[in-house]
mmCIF file of all heavy atoms in Angstrom:
data_model
loop_
_atom_site.group_PDB
_atom_site.id
_atom_site.type_symbol
_atom_site.label_atom_id
_atom_site.label_comp_id
_atom_site.label_asym_id
_atom_site.label_seq_id
_atom_site.Cartn_x
_atom_site.Cartn_y
_atom_site.Cartn_z
ATOM 1 N N GLN E 61 -112.022 132.833 169.001
ATOM 2 C CA GLN E 61 -111.415 131.535 168.751
ATOM 3 C C GLN E 61 -110.557 131.694 167.498
ATOM 4 O O GLN E 61 -110.991 132.287 166.512
ATOM 5 C CB GLN E 61 -112.486 130.465 168.504
ATOM 6 C CG GLN E 61 -113.391 130.226 169.692
ATOM 7 C CD GLN E 61 -112.649 129.599 170.846
ATOM 8 O OE1 GLN E 61 -111.822 128.704 170.668
ATOM 9 N NE2 GLN E 61 -112.927 130.084 172.046
ATOM 10 N N ALA E 62 -109.331 131.176 167.569
ATOM 11 C CA ALA E 62 -108.420 131.283 166.436
ATOM 12 C C ALA E 62 -107.924 129.904 166.025
ATOM 13 O O ALA E 62 -107.664 129.040 166.867
ATOM 14 C CB ALA E 62 -107.225 132.170 166.803
ATOM 15 N N ALA E 63 -107.804 129.713 164.736
ATOM 16 C CA ALA E 63 -107.205 128.511 164.161
ATOM 17 C C ALA E 63 -105.903 128.944 163.500
ATOM 18 O O ALA E 63 -105.886 129.912 162.736
ATOM 19 C CB ALA E 63 -108.142 127.895 163.130
ATOM 20 N N VAL E 64 -104.829 128.264 163.816
ATOM 21 C CA VAL E 64 -103.519 128.595 163.257
ATOM 22 C C VAL E 64 -103.057 127.403 162.427
ATOM 23 O O VAL E 64 -102.965 126.289 162.937
ATOM 24 C CB VAL E 64 -102.494 128.899 164.376
ATOM 25 C CG1 VAL E 64 -101.145 129.249 163.771
ATOM 26 C CG2 VAL E 64 -103.002 130.026 165.274
ATOM 27 N N LEU E 65 -102.801 127.640 161.149
ATOM 28 C CA LEU E 65 -102.371 126.543 160.282
ATOM 29 C C LEU E 65 -101.032 125.987 160.734
ATOM 30 O O LEU E 65 -100.059 126.720 160.904
ATOM 31 C CB LEU E 65 -102.271 127.002 158.826
ATOM 32 C CG LEU E 65 -101.856 125.904 157.851
ATOM 33 C CD1 LEU E 65 -102.920 124.804 157.780
ATOM 34 C CD2 LEU E 65 -101.593 126.470 156.482
ATOM 35 N N HIS E 66 -101.016 124.689 160.953
ATOM 36 C CA HIS E 66 -99.762 123.990 161.253
ATOM 37 C C HIS E 66 -99.889 122.578 160.681
ATOM 38 O O HIS E 66 -100.658 121.761 161.184
ATOM 39 C CB HIS E 66 -99.493 123.928 162.756
ATOM 40 C CG HIS E 66 -98.192 123.262 163.054
ATOM 41 N ND1 HIS E 66 -96.978 123.892 162.836
ATOM 42 C CD2 HIS E 66 -97.898 122.031 163.501
ATOM 43 C CE1 HIS E 66 -96.007 123.067 163.156
ATOM 44 N NE2 HIS E 66 -96.530 121.927 163.566
ATOM 45 N N GLU E 67 -99.174 122.339 159.635
ATOM 46 C CA GLU E 67 -99.235 121.050 158.932
ATOM 47 C C GLU E 67 -97.858 120.402 158.940
ATOM 48 O O GLU E 67 -96.909 120.945 158.348
ATOM 49 C CB GLU E 67 -99.697 121.275 157.488
ATOM 50 C CG GLU E 67 -99.778 120.033 156.651
ATOM 51 C CD GLU E 67 -101.034 119.221 156.893
ATOM 52 O OE1 GLU E 67 -102.023 119.761 157.426
ATOM 53 O OE2 GLU E 67 -101.039 118.034 156.525
ATOM 54 N N GLN E 68 -97.750 119.271 159.617
ATOM 55 C CA GLN E 68 -96.481 118.538 159.642
ATOM 56 C C GLN E 68 -96.079 118.163 158.219
ATOM 57 O O GLN E 68 -96.897 117.706 157.434
ATOM 58 C CB GLN E 68 -96.611 117.253 160.468
ATOM 59 C CG GLN E 68 -96.747 117.505 161.951
ATOM 60 C CD GLN E 68 -95.427 117.894 162.580
ATOM 61 O OE1 GLN E 68 -94.835 118.905 162.242
ATOM 62 N NE2 GLN E 68 -94.968 117.082 163.501
ATOM 63 N N GLY E 69 -94.827 118.386 157.894
ATOM 64 C CA GLY E 69 -94.312 117.984 156.599
ATOM 65 C C GLY E 69 -94.530 118.987 155.477
ATOM 66 O O GLY E 69 -93.975 118.815 154.392
ATOM 67 N N ALA E 70 -95.325 120.007 155.704
ATOM 68 C CA ALA E 70 -95.530 121.023 154.667
ATOM 69 C C ALA E 70 -94.373 122.011 154.736
ATOM 70 O O ALA E 70 -94.085 122.551 155.802
ATOM 71 C CB ALA E 70 -96.861 121.743 154.865
ATOM 72 N N PRO E 71 -93.696 122.255 153.622
ATOM 73 C CA PRO E 71 -92.508 123.105 153.646
ATOM 74 C C PRO E 71 -92.784 124.557 154.031
ATOM 75 O O PRO E 71 -91.876 125.269 154.428
ATOM 76 C CB PRO E 71 -91.968 123.003 152.224
ATOM 77 C CG PRO E 71 -93.093 122.508 151.403
ATOM 78 C CD PRO E 71 -93.996 121.731 152.298
ATOM 79 N N PHE E 72 -94.011 124.999 153.928
ATOM 80 C CA PHE E 72 -94.355 126.387 154.247
ATOM 81 C C PHE E 72 -94.863 126.546 155.674
ATOM 82 O O PHE E 72 -95.238 127.639 156.077
ATOM 83 C CB PHE E 72 -95.397 126.916 153.260
ATOM 84 C CG PHE E 72 -96.531 125.962 153.032
ATOM 85 C CD1 PHE E 72 -97.606 125.895 153.897
ATOM 86 C CD2 PHE E 72 -96.494 125.108 151.938
ATOM 87 C CE1 PHE E 72 -98.626 124.993 153.686
ATOM 88 C CE2 PHE E 72 -97.528 124.206 151.725
ATOM 89 C CZ PHE E 72 -98.589 124.145 152.602
#
Side-chain angles (χ1 to χ4, degrees):
Q61 297 293 319
V64 180
L65 181 64
H66 182 74
E67 179 80 19
Q68 289 285 62
F72 46 83

